[in-house]
Amino acid sequence: VEAMLEKGVVSFDALWFLFPKSTKFVATVDECMIGSIVDEAHYSRSFFSNDFVVSAQLVRTNGRSITMVKRNFSIGSFRGTIPISDLALRPITDAEQAKLTARGRVFREHALGCHYLSYSGPGFRKSWFCTTRFKADGRVVGGGGACGGRRRR
């Protein structure tokens, strides 16, 4: 296992070695990089698939309060070895941790309350059958549910 890791690759059966409890990791969800810490990791084998499942806590907000929610991440089985950097979730690098820490500071600043901001960059809308990407330049209301306004009907 250590010889594989020195080469920067891993096999499906050796994933347990990469994700012991309390390991910091990153994953990509809806084209956004997120980070967390491993609460639990195990292999899940069924008639239909074999997966390696990592359970972790994520920070969520509704504009009024911040909560922790449990989320399971899985890596489907694969043959041979693949580069660790190609995994759907992987141990965090120093550069990724610095990027997420900076983003977390912005999140902390805007997570509670109502904030009128501007945004320039890509946006996406996810439906049950596809993800639509679009240019999203303009003004936004962060934490709109906390603004105290009434919804238009």
Coordinates of all heavy atoms in Angstrom, one line a residue, residues 61-132:
T61 N -26.4 26.6 6.0 CA -27.1 27.8 6.6 C -28.4 28.0 5.9 O -28.5 27.7 4.7 CB -26.3 29.0 6.6 OG1 -27.0 30.1 7.3 CG2 -25.9 29.5 5.2
N62 N -29.4 28.5 6.6 CA -30.7 29.0 5.9 C -30.8 30.5 6.0 O -31.9 31.0 5.8 CB -31.9 28.3 6.6 CG -32.0 28.6 8.0 OD1 -31.3 29.4 8.6 ND2 -33.0 27.9 8.7
G63 N -29.8 31.2 6.4 CA -29.8 32.6 6.6 C -30.1 33.0 8.0 O -29.8 34.2 8.3
R64 N -30.7 32.1 8.8 CA -31.0 32.5 10.2 C -30.2 31.7 11.2 O -30.0 32.2 12.3 CB -32.5 32.2 10.4 CG -33.4 33.1 9.6 CD -34.9 32.8 10.0 NE -35.7 33.6 9.1 CZ -36.5 33.0 8.1 NH1 -36.5 31.7 7.9 NH2 -37.2 33.8 7.3
S65 N -29.7 30.5 10.8 CA -28.9 29.7 11.7 C -28.0 28.8 10.9 O -28.2 28.6 9.7 CB -29.8 28.8 12.6 OG -30.5 27.9 11.8
I66 N -26.9 28.5 11.5 CA -25.9 27.6 10.9 C -26.0 26.2 11.6 O -26.1 26.1 12.8 CB -24.5 28.1 11.1 CG1 -24.3 29.5 10.3 CG2 -23.4 27.1 10.6 CD1 -23.0 30.2 10.5
T67 N -26.1 25.2 10.7 CA -26.2 23.8 11.3 C -25.2 22.9 10.6 O -24.6 23.2 9.6 CB -27.6 23.2 11.0 OG1 -27.9 23.3 9.6 CG2 -28.7 24.0 11.7
M68 N -25.0 21.8 11.2 CA -24.1 20.7 10.6 C -25.0 19.6 10.1 O -26.0 19.2 10.8 CB -23.2 20.2 11.7 CG -22.2 21.2 12.3 SD -21.0 21.8 11.1 CE -19.9 20.4 10.9
V69 N -24.8 19.1 8.9 CA -25.5 18.0 8.3 C -24.6 16.9 8.0 O -23.5 17.1 7.5 CB -26.4 18.5 7.1 CG1 -27.4 19.5 7.5 CG2 -25.5 19.0 6.0
K70 N -25.1 15.7 8.1 CA -24.3 14.5 7.8 C -24.4 14.3 6.3 O -25.5 14.3 5.7 CB -24.7 13.3 8.5 CG -23.9 12.1 8.3 CD -24.3 10.9 9.1 CE -23.4 9.7 8.8 NZ -23.8 8.6 9.7
R71 N -23.3 13.9 5.6 CA -23.3 13.7 4.2 C -22.5 12.5 3.9 O -21.4 12.3 4.5 CB -22.8 14.9 3.4 CG -22.5 14.7 2.0 CD -23.8 14.9 1.1 NE -23.5 14.5 -0.3 CZ -23.4 15.3 -1.3 NH1 -23.5 16.6 -1.1 NH2 -23.2 14.8 -2.5
N72 N -22.9 11.6 3.1 CA -22.1 10.4 2.6 C -21.6 10.7 1.3 O -22.3 11.1 0.4 CB -22.9 9.1 2.6 CG -23.3 8.7 4.0 OD1 -22.6 8.9 5.0 ND2 -24.4 8.0 4.1
F73 N -20.3 10.4 1.1 CA -19.6 10.5 -0.2 C -19.2 9.1 -0.6 O -18.7 8.3 0.3 CB -18.4 11.4 -0.1 CG -18.7 12.8 0.3 CD1 -18.7 13.1 1.7 CD2 -18.9 13.8 -0.6 CE1 -19.0 14.4 2.1 CE2 -19.2 15.1 -0.2 CZ -19.2 15.4 1.1
S74 N -19.3 8.7 -1.9 CA -18.9 7.4 -2.2 C -18.0 7.4 -3.5 O -18.1 8.3 -4.3 CB -20.1 6.5 -2.5 OG -20.8 7.0 -3.6
I75 N -17.1 6.4 -3.5 CA -16.2 6.2 -4.6 C -16.6 4.8 -5.1 O -16.5 3.8 -4.4 CB -14.7 6.2 -4.2 CG1 -14.4 7.6 -3.6 CG2 -13.9 5.8 -5.4 CD1 -12.9 7.6 -3.1
G76 N -17.0 4.7 -6.4 CA -17.4 3.4 -7.0 C -16.2 2.6 -7.2 O -15.0 3.1 -7.3
S77 N -16.4 1.3 -7.2 CA -15.2 0.3 -7.4 C -14.6 0.6 -8.8 O -15.2 1.0 -9.7 CB -15.7 -1.1 -7.3 OG -16.6 -1.4 -8.3
F78 N -13.3 0.3 -8.8 CA -12.5 0.4 -10.1 C -11.5 -0.7 -10.0 O -11.1 -1.2 -9.0 CB -11.9 1.8 -10.2 CG -11.1 2.2 -9.1 CD1 -9.7 2.0 -9.0 CD2 -11.7 3.0 -8.0 CE1 -8.9 2.4 -8.0 CE2 -10.9 3.4 -7.0 CZ -9.5 3.1 -6.9
R79 N -11.0 -1.0 -11.2 CA -9.9 -2.1 -11.3 C -8.6 -1.4 -11.4 O -8.4 -0.3 -11.9 CB -10.1 -2.9 -12.6 CG -11.4 -3.8 -12.5 CD -11.5 -4.5 -13.8 NE -12.8 -5.3 -13.8 CZ -12.9 -6.6 -13.7 NH1 -11.8 -7.3 -13.7 NH2 -14.0 -7.2 -13.7
G80 N -7.6 -2.1 -10.9 CA -6.2 -1.6 -11.0 C -6.0 -0.4 -10.1 O -6.6 -0.3 -9.0
T81 N -5.1 0.5 -10.5 CA -4.8 1.6 -9.7 C -5.1 2.9 -10.5 O -5.1 2.9 -11.7 CB -3.3 1.7 -9.3 OG1 -2.5 1.7 -10.5 CG2 -3.0 0.5 -8.4
I82 N -5.5 4.0 -9.8 CA -5.7 5.3 -10.5 C -5.0 6.3 -9.7 O -4.7 6.1 -8.5 CB -7.2 5.6 -10.6 CG1 -7.9 5.8 -9.2 CG2 -7.9 4.6 -11.5 CD1 -9.3 6.3 -9.3
P83 N -4.6 7.5 -10.3 CA -4.0 8.5 -9.5 C -4.9 9.1 -8.4 O -6.1 9.2 -8.6 CB -3.8 9.6 -10.6 CG -3.8 8.9 -11.9 CD -4.7 7.7 -11.7
I84 N -4.4 9.3 -7.3 CA -5.1 9.8 -6.2 C -5.8 11.2 -6.5 O -7.0 11.4 -6.2 CB -4.2 10.0 -4.9 CG1 -3.8 8.6 -4.4 CG2 -5.0 10.7 -3.8 CD1 -2.7 8.7 -3.4
S85 N -5.2 12.0 -7.4 CA -5.7 13.3 -7.8 C -7.0 13.1 -8.6 O -7.7 14.0 -8.8 CB -4.7 14.1 -8.5 OG -4.2 13.4 -9.7
D86 N -7.2 11.9 -9.2 CA -8.4 11.7 -10.1 C -9.6 11.2 -9.3 O -10.7 11.0 -9.8 CB -8.1 10.7 -11.2 CG -7.1 11.2 -12.2 OD1 -6.9 12.4 -12.2 OD2 -6.7 10.5 -13.1
L87 N -9.4 10.9 -8.0 CA -10.5 10.4 -7.2 C -11.6 11.5 -7.0 O -11.3 12.7 -6.9 CB -10.0 10.0 -5.8 CG -9.1 8.7 -5.7 CD1 -8.6 8.6 -4.3 CD2 -9.9 7.5 -6.2
A88 N -12.9 11.0 -6.9 CA -14.0 12.0 -6.6 C -13.8 12.7 -5.3 O -14.2 13.8 -5.1 CB -15.3 11.2 -6.6
L89 N -13.2 12.0 -4.3 CA -12.8 12.7 -3.1 C -11.4 12.2 -2.8 O -11.1 11.1 -3.1 CB -13.8 12.4 -1.9 CG -14.0 11.0 -1.4 CD1 -14.1 11.1 0.1 CD2 -15.4 10.6 -2.0
R90 N -10.7 13.1 -2.2 CA -9.3 12.8 -2.0 C -8.7 13.6 -0.8 O -9.3 14.6 -0.4 CB -8.4 13.2 -3.2 CG -8.5 14.6 -3.6 CD -8.1 14.9 -5.0 NE -8.3 16.3 -5.3 CZ -9.4 16.9 -5.6 NH1 -10.5 16.2 -5.7 NH2 -9.5 18.2 -5.9
P91 N -7.6 13.2 -0.2 CA -7.0 13.9 0.9 C -6.7 15.3 0.4 O -6.3 15.6 -0.7 CB -5.8 13.1 1.3 CG -6.1 11.7 0.8 CD -6.9 11.9 -0.4
I92 N -6.9 16.3 1.3 CA -6.7 17.7 1.0 C -5.3 18.1 0.9 O -4.4 17.6 1.6 CB -7.5 18.6 2.0 CG1 -7.7 20.0 1.5 CG2 -6.7 18.6 3.3 CD1 -8.7 20.8 2.3
T93 N -5.0 19.0 -0.1 CA -3.6 19.5 -0.2 C -3.5 20.8 0.5 O -4.6 21.4 0.8 CB -3.2 19.7 -1.7 OG1 -4.0 20.7 -2.2 CG2 -3.3 18.4 -2.5
D94 N -2.3 21.3 0.8 CA -2.2 22.6 1.4 C -2.8 23.7 0.6 O -3.5 24.6 1.2 CB -0.7 22.9 1.7 CG -0.1 22.0 2.7 OD1 -0.9 21.4 3.5 OD2 1.1 21.8 2.8
A95 N -2.7 23.7 -0.7 CA -3.2 24.8 -1.5 C -4.8 24.7 -1.5 O -5.4 25.8 -1.4 CB -2.7 24.6 -3.0
E96 N -5.3 23.5 -1.5 CA -6.8 23.4 -1.4 C -7.3 23.8 -0.1 O -8.4 24.5 0.0 CB -7.2 21.9 -1.7 CG -7.0 21.5 -3.1 CD -7.2 20.0 -3.4 OE1 -6.9 19.2 -2.4 OE2 -7.5 19.6 -4.5
Q97 N -6.6 23.5 1.0 CA -7.0 23.9 2.3 C -7.0 25.5 2.4 O -7.9 26.1 3.0 CB -6.2 23.3 3.4 CG -6.7 23.8 4.8 CD -6.3 22.8 5.9 OE1 -5.8 21.7 5.6 NE2 -6.6 23.1 7.1
A98 N -6.0 26.1 1.9 CA -5.9 27.6 1.9 C -7.0 28.2 1.1 O -7.6 29.2 1.6 CB -4.5 28.0 1.3
K99 N -7.4 27.6 0.0 CA -8.5 28.2 -0.8 C -9.8 28.0 -0.1 O -10.6 28.9 -0.1 CB -8.5 27.4 -2.2 CG -9.6 27.9 -3.1 CD -9.5 27.2 -4.4 CE -10.5 27.7 -5.4 NZ -10.5 27.0 -6.7
L100 N -10.0 26.8 0.5 CA -11.3 26.6 1.2 C -11.4 27.5 2.5 O -12.4 27.9 2.9 CB -11.5 25.1 1.6 CG -11.8 24.3 0.4 CD1 -11.8 22.8 0.8 CD2 -13.1 24.6 -0.2
T101 N -10.2 27.7 3.2 CA -10.2 28.5 4.4 C -10.6 30.0 4.0 O -11.4 30.6 4.7 CB -8.8 28.5 5.0 OG1 -8.6 27.1 5.4 CG2 -8.8 29.3 6.3
A102 N -10.0 30.5 2.9 CA -10.4 31.8 2.5 C -11.9 31.9 2.1 O -12.6 32.9 2.5 CB -9.5 32.2 1.3
R103 N -12.4 30.9 1.4 CA -13.8 30.9 1.1 C -14.7 30.8 2.4 O -15.7 31.3 2.5 CB -14.1 29.7 0.1 CG -15.4 29.9 -0.6 CD -15.6 28.9 -1.7 NE -16.2 27.7 -1.1 CZ -16.2 26.6 -1.6 NH1 -15.7 26.4 -2.8 NH2 -16.8 25.5 -1.0
G104 N -14.2 30.0 3.3 CA -14.9 29.9 4.6 C -15.0 31.2 5.4 O -16.0 31.4 6.0
R105 N -14.0 32.0 5.3 CA -14.1 33.3 5.9 C -15.2 34.2 5.3 O -15.9 34.9 6.0 CB -12.7 34.0 5.8 CG -11.7 33.4 6.7 CD -10.4 34.2 6.8 NE -9.4 33.6 7.6 CZ -8.4 32.9 7.2 NH1 -8.1 32.9 5.9 NH2 -7.5 32.3 8.0
V106 N -15.3 34.1 4.0 CA -16.4 34.9 3.3 C -17.7 34.3 3.7 O -18.7 35.0 3.9 CB -16.1 34.8 1.8 CG1 -17.3 35.4 1.0 CG2 -14.9 35.5 1.4
F107 N -17.8 33.0 3.7 CA -19.0 32.3 4.2 C -19.5 32.7 5.6 O -20.6 33.1 5.8 CB -18.9 30.8 4.1 CG -20.1 30.0 4.6 CD1 -21.1 29.8 3.8 CD2 -20.1 29.5 5.9 CE1 -22.2 29.1 4.2 CE2 -21.2 28.8 6.4 CZ -22.3 28.6 5.5
R108 N -18.5 32.8 6.5 CA -18.8 33.2 7.9 C -19.3 34.6 7.9 O -20.2 34.9 8.7 CB -17.6 33.0 8.7 CG -17.8 33.3 10.2 CD -16.5 33.1 11.0 NE -15.5 34.0 10.5 CZ -14.2 33.8 10.7 NH1 -13.8 32.8 11.4 NH2 -13.3 34.6 10.2
E109 N -18.8 35.4 7.1 CA -19.2 36.8 7.0 C -20.6 37.0 6.5 O -21.3 37.9 6.9 CB -18.2 37.6 6.2 CG -18.4 39.1 6.1 CD -17.4 39.8 5.3 OE1 -16.2 39.3 5.3 OE2 -17.7 40.8 4.6
H110 N -21.0 36.2 5.6 CA -22.3 36.3 4.9 C -23.3 35.2 5.2 O -24.4 35.3 4.6 CB -22.1 36.4 3.4 CG -21.2 37.6 3.0 ND1 -21.6 38.9 3.1 CD2 -20.0 37.6 2.5 CE1 -20.7 39.7 2.7 NE2 -19.7 38.9 2.3
A111 N -23.0 34.3 6.0 CA -23.9 33.1 6.3 C -25.2 33.5 7.0 O -26.2 32.9 6.8 CB -23.2 32.0 7.0
L112 N -25.1 34.4 7.9 CA -26.3 34.8 8.6 C -26.8 36.2 8.2 O -25.9 37.1 8.1 CB -26.0 34.7 10.1 CG -25.7 33.4 10.7 CD1 -25.3 33.4 12.1 CD2 -26.8 32.4 10.4
G113 N -28.0 36.4 8.1 CA -28.6 37.7 7.9 C -28.8 38.0 6.4 O -28.6 37.1 5.5
C114 N -29.2 39.2 6.0 CA -29.5 39.6 4.7 C -28.3 40.4 4.1 O -27.9 41.4 4.8 CB -30.8 40.3 4.7 SG -31.3 40.8 3.1
H115 N -27.9 40.1 2.9 CA -26.7 40.8 2.4 C -27.0 41.1 0.9 O -27.4 40.2 0.1 CB -25.4 40.0 2.5 CG -25.1 39.7 3.9 ND1 -24.5 40.5 4.8 CD2 -25.4 38.5 4.6 CE1 -24.4 39.9 5.9 NE2 -24.9 38.7 5.9
Y116 N -26.9 42.3 0.5 CA -27.0 42.7 -0.9 C -25.6 42.8 -1.5 O -24.8 43.6 -1.1 CB -27.7 44.1 -1.0 CG -29.1 44.0 -0.5 CD1 -29.4 44.3 0.9 CD2 -30.2 43.5 -1.2 CE1 -30.7 44.2 1.4 CE2 -31.5 43.4 -0.7 CZ -31.7 43.8 0.6 OH -33.0 43.7 1.1
L117 N -25.3 42.0 -2.5 CA -24.0 41.9 -3.1 C -24.1 41.9 -4.6 O -25.1 41.8 -5.2 CB -23.4 40.5 -2.6 CG -23.4 40.3 -1.1 CD1 -23.1 38.8 -0.8 CD2 -22.3 41.1 -0.4
S118 N -22.9 41.9 -5.2 CA -22.8 41.8 -6.7 C -22.0 40.5 -6.9 O -21.2 40.1 -6.1 CB -22.2 43.0 -7.3 OG -20.9 43.1 -6.9
Y119 N -22.3 39.9 -8.1 CA -21.6 38.7 -8.5 C -21.3 38.7 -10.0 O -22.1 39.2 -10.8 CB -22.5 37.5 -8.2 CG -21.8 36.2 -8.6 CD1 -20.8 35.6 -7.9 CD2 -22.3 35.5 -9.8 CE1 -20.2 34.4 -8.3 CE2 -21.7 34.3 -10.2 CZ -20.7 33.8 -9.4 OH -20.1 32.6 -9.8
S120 N -20.1 38.2 -10.3 CA -19.7 38.1 -11.7 C -19.1 36.8 -11.9 O -18.0 36.5 -11.3 CB -18.8 39.3 -12.1 OG -18.4 39.1 -13.5
G121 N -19.7 35.9 -12.7 CA -19.1 34.6 -13.0 C -20.1 33.6 -13.4 O -21.3 34.0 -13.8
P122 N -19.8 32.4 -13.5 CA -20.8 31.4 -14.0 C -21.8 31.0 -12.9 O -21.6 31.1 -11.7 CB -19.9 30.2 -14.3 CG -18.7 30.3 -13.3 CD -18.5 31.8 -13.2
G123 N -23.0 30.7 -13.4 CA -24.0 30.2 -12.5 C -24.6 28.9 -13.0 O -24.3 28.5 -14.2
F124 N -25.3 28.1 -12.3 CA -25.9 26.9 -12.8 C -27.2 26.7 -12.1 O -27.5 27.1 -10.9 CB -25.0 25.7 -12.6 CG -24.6 25.3 -11.2 CD1 -25.4 24.4 -10.5 CD2 -23.5 25.9 -10.6 CE1 -25.1 24.1 -9.2 CE2 -23.2 25.6 -9.3 CZ -24.0 24.6 -8.6
R125 N -28.1 26.0 -12.7 CA -29.4 25.6 -12.2 C -29.5 24.1 -12.4 O -29.4 23.6 -13.6 CB -30.6 26.4 -12.9 CG -31.9 26.0 -12.4 CD -33.0 26.8 -13.0 NE -32.7 28.3 -13.1 CZ -32.6 29.0 -14.2 NH1 -32.7 28.4 -15.3 NH2 -32.3 30.3 -14.1
K126 N -29.7 23.4 -11.4 CA -29.8 21.9 -11.5 C -31.2 21.4 -11.4 O -32.0 21.8 -10.6 CB -29.0 21.3 -10.3 CG -28.6 19.9 -10.5 CD -27.7 19.4 -9.4 CE -27.3 18.0 -9.7 NZ -26.4 17.5 -8.7
S127 N -31.6 20.6 -12.4 CA -32.9 19.9 -12.4 C -32.7 18.4 -12.3 O -31.6 18.0 -12.3 CB -33.7 20.3 -13.6 OG -33.1 19.8 -14.8
W128 N -33.8 17.7 -12.3 CA -33.6 16.2 -12.2 C -33.0 15.6 -13.4 O -32.5 14.5 -13.3 CB -35.0 15.6 -11.9 CG -36.0 15.8 -13.0 CD1 -36.8 16.8 -13.2 CD2 -36.2 14.8 -14.0 NE1 -37.6 16.6 -14.3 CE2 -37.2 15.4 -14.9 CE3 -35.7 13.6 -14.4 CZ2 -37.7 14.7 -16.0 CZ3 -36.2 12.9 -15.5 CH2 -37.2 13.5 -16.3
F129 N -33.0 16.3 -14.5 CA -32.4 15.6 -15.7 C -31.2 16.3 -16.3 O -30.5 15.7 -17.1 CB -33.5 15.5 -16.8 CG -34.0 16.8 -17.3 CD1 -33.4 17.5 -18.4 CD2 -35.1 17.4 -16.7 CE1 -33.9 18.7 -18.8 CE2 -35.6 18.6 -17.1 CZ -35.0 19.3 -18.2
C130 N -30.9 17.5 -15.9 CA -29.7 18.2 -16.4 C -29.3 19.3 -15.6 O -30.0 19.8 -14.7 CB -29.9 18.6 -17.9 SG -30.9 20.1 -18.0
T131 N -28.1 19.9 -15.8 CA -27.6 21.1 -15.2 C -27.4 22.1 -16.3 O -26.7 21.9 -17.3 CB -26.2 20.8 -14.5 OG1 -26.4 19.8 -13.5 CG2 -25.7 22.1 -13.8
T132 N -28.1 23.3 -16.1 CA -28.0 24.4 -17.1 C -27.0 25.4 -16.6 O -27.1 25.9 -15.4 CB -29.4 25.0 -17.2 OG1 -30.3 24.0 -17.6 CG2 -29.3 26.1 -18.3

